[in-house]
Coordinates of all heavy atoms in Angstrom, one line a residue:
D6 N 0.8 24.7 -8.9 CA -0.7 24.9 -8.8 C -1.3 24.2 -7.6 O -1.1 23.0 -7.4 CB -1.3 24.4 -10.1 CG -2.7 24.6 -10.2 OD1 -3.2 25.8 -10.4 OD2 -3.5 23.7 -9.9
R7 N -2.0 25.0 -6.8 CA -2.5 24.5 -5.6 C -3.6 23.4 -5.8 O -3.6 22.4 -5.1 CB -3.2 25.6 -4.7 CG -2.1 26.6 -4.2 CD -2.7 27.7 -3.4 NE -3.4 27.2 -2.2 CZ -4.1 28.0 -1.4 NH1 -4.2 29.3 -1.6 NH2 -4.7 27.4 -0.3
S8 N -4.5 23.6 -6.8 CA -5.5 22.6 -7.1 C -4.9 21.3 -7.5 O -5.3 20.2 -7.1 CB -6.5 23.1 -8.1 OG -5.9 23.4 -9.3
A9 N -3.8 21.4 -8.4 CA -3.2 20.1 -8.8 C -2.5 19.4 -7.7 O -2.5 18.2 -7.6 CB -2.2 20.4 -10.0
Q10 N -1.8 20.2 -6.8 CA -1.2 19.5 -5.7 C -2.1 18.9 -4.7 O -1.9 17.9 -4.2 CB -0.3 20.6 -5.0 CG 0.4 20.1 -3.7 CD 1.4 19.0 -4.1 OE1 2.1 19.0 -5.2 NE2 1.6 18.0 -3.2
K11 N -3.3 19.6 -4.5 CA -4.3 19.0 -3.7 C -4.8 17.7 -4.2 O -5.0 16.7 -3.5 CB -5.4 20.0 -3.5 CG -6.6 19.5 -2.6 CD -7.8 20.5 -2.5 CE -8.9 20.0 -1.6 NZ -10.0 21.0 -1.6
K12 N -5.1 17.7 -5.6 CA -5.6 16.5 -6.2 C -4.5 15.4 -6.1 O -4.8 14.2 -5.8 CB -6.0 16.7 -7.6 CG -6.4 15.5 -8.4 CD -7.6 14.9 -7.7 CE -8.9 15.7 -7.8 NZ -10.1 15.1 -7.2
F13 N -3.3 15.7 -6.3 CA -2.2 14.8 -6.2 C -2.1 14.2 -4.8 O -1.9 12.9 -4.7 CB -0.8 15.5 -6.6 CG 0.3 14.6 -6.5 CD1 0.5 13.5 -7.3 CD2 1.4 14.9 -5.6 CE1 1.6 12.6 -7.2 CE2 2.5 14.1 -5.5 CZ 2.6 13.0 -6.3
R14 N -2.3 15.0 -3.8 CA -2.2 14.5 -2.4 C -3.4 13.6 -2.2 O -3.3 12.5 -1.4 CB -2.2 15.7 -1.4 CG -2.1 15.2 0.0 CD -2.0 16.4 1.0 NE -0.7 17.1 0.8 CZ -0.5 18.3 0.3 NH1 -1.6 18.9 -0.2 NH2 0.6 18.8 0.1
E15 N -4.6 13.9 -2.7 CA -5.7 13.0 -2.5 C -5.4 11.6 -3.2 O -5.7 10.6 -2.6 CB -7.0 13.6 -3.2 CG -7.5 14.8 -2.5 CD -8.7 15.4 -3.3 OE1 -9.0 14.9 -4.3 OE2 -9.2 16.5 -2.8
L16 N -4.9 11.6 -4.4 CA -4.5 10.3 -5.0 C -3.5 9.6 -4.3 O -3.5 8.3 -4.2 CB -4.1 10.7 -6.5 CG -5.2 11.3 -7.4 CD1 -4.6 11.6 -8.7 CD2 -6.3 10.3 -7.6
W17 N -2.5 10.3 -3.8 CA -1.4 9.7 -3.0 C -2.0 9.0 -1.7 O -1.6 7.9 -1.4 CB -0.4 10.8 -2.7 CG 0.8 10.3 -1.9 CD1 0.9 9.9 -0.6 CD2 2.1 10.1 -2.5 NE1 2.2 9.5 -0.3 CE2 3.0 9.6 -1.4 CE3 2.7 10.3 -3.7 CZ2 4.3 9.4 -1.6 CZ3 4.0 10.0 -3.9 CH2 4.8 9.5 -2.9
D18 N -2.9 9.8 -1.1 CA -3.4 9.3 0.2 C -4.4 8.0 -0.1 O -4.5 7.1 0.7 CB -4.3 10.3 0.9 CG -3.4 11.4 1.5 OD1 -2.1 11.1 1.6 OD2 -3.8 12.5 1.8
E19 N -5.0 8.0 -1.3 CA -5.8 6.9 -1.7 C -5.0 5.6 -1.8 O -5.4 4.5 -1.4 CB -6.5 7.2 -3.0 CG -7.7 8.1 -2.9 CD -8.3 8.4 -4.3 OE1 -7.9 7.7 -5.3 OE2 -9.2 9.3 -4.3
R20 N -3.8 5.8 -2.4 CA -2.9 4.6 -2.5 C -2.4 4.1 -1.2 O -2.4 2.9 -0.9 CB -1.7 5.0 -3.4 CG -0.6 4.0 -3.5 CD 0.6 4.4 -4.3 NE 1.3 5.5 -3.7 CZ 2.5 5.9 -4.0 NH1 3.2 5.2 -4.9 NH2 3.1 6.9 -3.5
T21 N -2.1 5.1 -0.2 CA -1.7 4.7 1.1 C -2.9 4.0 1.8 O -2.7 3.0 2.5 CB -1.3 6.0 1.9 OG1 -0.4 6.7 1.2 CG2 -0.8 5.6 3.3
T22 N -4.1 4.5 1.6 CA -5.3 3.9 2.3 C -5.5 2.5 1.7 O -5.9 1.6 2.5 CB -6.5 4.8 2.0 OG1 -6.3 6.0 2.6 CG2 -7.8 4.1 2.6
F23 N -5.3 2.4 0.4 CA -5.5 1.0 -0.2 C -4.5 0.0 0.5 O -5.0 -1.1 0.8 CB -5.2 1.1 -1.7 CG -4.9 -0.3 -2.3 CD1 -6.0 -1.1 -2.6 CD2 -3.6 -0.8 -2.5 CE1 -5.8 -2.4 -3.2 CE2 -3.4 -2.0 -3.0 CZ -4.5 -2.8 -3.4
L24 N -3.3 0.3 0.7 CA -2.3 -0.6 1.3 C -2.7 -0.8 2.7 O -2.7 -2.0 3.1 CB -0.9 0.0 1.1 CG 0.2 -0.9 1.7 CD1 0.2 -2.3 1.1 CD2 1.6 -0.2 1.6
A25 N -3.0 0.1 3.5 CA -3.4 0.0 4.9 C -4.7 -0.9 5.0 O -4.8 -1.8 5.9 CB -3.6 1.3 5.5
T26 N -5.6 -0.7 4.1 CA -6.9 -1.4 4.1 C -6.6 -2.9 3.7 O -7.2 -3.8 4.3 CB -7.9 -0.8 3.2 OG1 -8.2 0.5 3.5 CG2 -9.2 -1.5 3.2
A27 N -5.7 -3.1 2.7 CA -5.4 -4.4 2.3 C -4.8 -5.2 3.4 O -5.0 -6.4 3.6 CB -4.5 -4.4 1.1
I28 N -3.9 -4.5 4.2 CA -3.3 -5.2 5.4 C -4.4 -5.6 6.4 O -4.4 -6.7 6.9 CB -2.2 -4.3 6.0 CG1 -1.0 -4.1 5.1 CG2 -1.8 -4.8 7.4 CD1 0.0 -3.1 5.5
E29 N -5.3 -4.6 6.6 CA -6.4 -4.8 7.6 C -7.3 -6.0 7.2 O -7.8 -6.8 8.0 CB -7.1 -3.6 7.8 CG -8.2 -3.7 8.8 CD -8.9 -2.3 9.1 OE1 -8.4 -1.3 8.6 OE2 -10.0 -2.3 9.7
K30 N -7.5 -6.1 5.9 CA -8.5 -7.1 5.4 C -7.8 -8.4 5.1 O -8.4 -9.3 4.5 CB -9.1 -6.6 4.1 CG -10.1 -5.5 4.3 CD -10.8 -5.1 3.1 CE -11.9 -4.1 3.3 NZ -12.7 -3.8 2.1
Q31 N -6.6 -8.6 5.6 CA -5.9 -9.9 5.5 C -5.6 -10.3 4.1 O -5.5 -11.5 3.8 CB -6.7 -11.0 6.2 CG -7.2 -10.7 7.6 CD -6.2 -10.7 8.7 OE1 -5.0 -10.4 8.5 NE2 -6.6 -11.1 9.9
Y32 N -5.3 -9.4 3.2 CA -4.9 -9.7 1.9 C -3.6 -10.5 1.8 O -3.2 -11.2 1.0 CB -4.8 -8.5 1.0 CG -6.1 -7.9 0.5 CD1 -7.3 -8.3 1.1 CD2 -6.2 -6.9 -0.4 CE1 -8.5 -7.7 0.7 CE2 -7.3 -6.3 -0.8 CZ -8.5 -6.7 -0.3 OH -9.7 -6.2 -0.7
F33 N -2.7 -10.1 2.8 CA -1.3 -10.6 2.8 C -1.1 -11.6 4.0 O -1.8 -11.6 5.0 CB -0.3 -9.4 3.0 CG -0.7 -8.3 2.0 CD1 -1.0 -7.0 2.5 CD2 -0.7 -8.4 0.7 CE1 -1.2 -6.0 1.7 CE2 -1.0 -7.4 -0.2 CZ -1.2 -6.2 0.3
V34 N 0.0 -12.4 3.8 CA 0.3 -13.3 4.8 C 1.9 -13.4 4.9 O 2.5 -13.2 3.9 CB -0.3 -14.7 4.6 CG1 0.2 -15.3 3.2 CG2 0.0 -15.7 5.7
Y35 N 2.3 -13.6 6.1 CA 3.8 -13.9 6.2 C 4.0 -15.4 6.5 O 3.6 -16.0 7.5 CB 4.4 -13.1 7.4 CG 5.8 -13.5 7.7 CD1 6.8 -12.8 6.9 CD2 6.2 -14.4 8.6 CE1 8.2 -13.2 7.1 CE2 7.6 -14.8 8.8 CZ 8.5 -14.1 8.0 OH 9.8 -14.4 8.2
E36 N 4.6 -16.1 5.5 CA 4.9 -17.5 5.6 C 6.4 -17.6 5.5 O 6.9 -17.3 4.5 CB 4.2 -18.3 4.6 CG 4.1 -19.8 4.8 CD 5.5 -20.5 4.7 OE1 6.2 -20.2 3.7 OE2 5.8 -21.4 5.5
P37 N 7.1 -18.1 6.5 CA 8.6 -18.0 6.5 C 9.3 -18.6 5.4 O 10.2 -18.0 4.8 CB 8.9 -18.6 7.9 CG 7.7 -18.5 8.7 CD 6.6 -18.6 7.8
E38 N 8.9 -19.8 5.0 CA 9.6 -20.5 4.0 C 9.4 -19.9 2.6 O 10.4 -19.7 1.8 CB 9.1 -22.0 3.9 CG 10.1 -22.9 3.2 CD 9.9 -24.3 3.5 OE1 9.1 -24.7 4.4 OE2 10.5 -25.2 2.8
V39 N 8.2 -19.5 2.2 CA 7.9 -18.9 0.9 C 8.6 -17.5 0.9 O 9.2 -17.0 0.0 CB 6.5 -18.8 0.6 CG1 6.2 -18.1 -0.7 CG2 5.9 -20.2 0.6
N40 N 8.4 -16.8 2.1 CA 9.0 -15.5 2.1 C 10.5 -15.5 2.0 O 11.1 -14.6 1.3 CB 8.6 -14.8 3.5 CG 9.1 -13.4 3.6 OD1 10.2 -13.1 3.9 ND2 8.1 -12.5 3.5
Q41 N 11.1 -16.4 2.6 CA 12.6 -16.5 2.5 C 13.1 -16.8 1.1 O 14.1 -16.3 0.7 CB 13.1 -17.6 3.5 CG 14.6 -17.7 3.5 CD 15.1 -18.9 4.5 OE1 14.3 -19.7 5.0 NE2 16.4 -18.9 4.7
Y42 N 12.3 -17.6 0.4 CA 12.7 -18.0 -1.0 C 12.6 -16.7 -1.8 O 13.5 -16.4 -2.6 CB 11.8 -19.1 -1.5 CG 12.1 -19.5 -2.9 CD1 13.3 -20.3 -3.1 CD2 11.4 -19.1 -4.0 CE1 13.6 -20.7 -4.4 CE2 11.7 -19.6 -5.3 CZ 12.9 -20.4 -5.5 OH 13.2 -20.8 -6.7
L43 N 11.5 -15.9 -1.7 CA 11.4 -14.7 -2.5 C 12.4 -13.7 -2.1 O 13.0 -13.0 -2.9 CB 10.0 -14.2 -2.3 CG 8.8 -15.0 -2.8 CD1 7.5 -14.3 -2.5 CD2 8.9 -15.2 -4.3
Q44 N 12.7 -13.6 -0.8 CA 13.7 -12.7 -0.3 C 15.1 -13.0 -0.9 O 15.9 -12.1 -1.1 CB 13.8 -12.6 1.2 CG 12.6 -12.0 1.9 CD 12.5 -10.6 1.8 OE1 13.3 -9.9 1.1 NE2 11.5 -10.0 2.4
G45 N 15.4 -14.3 -1.1 CA 16.6 -14.7 -1.7 C 16.8 -14.2 -3.1 O 17.9 -13.7 -3.6

């Protein structure tokens, strides 16, 4: 169904936008020691 796929793409893009915006707004940080522990 085209309308359902269109809505699904809108919701998918909203999620992508959320992550890109969160990166831009400095929600995240790379700290080597803490990052390395979690990566372990």
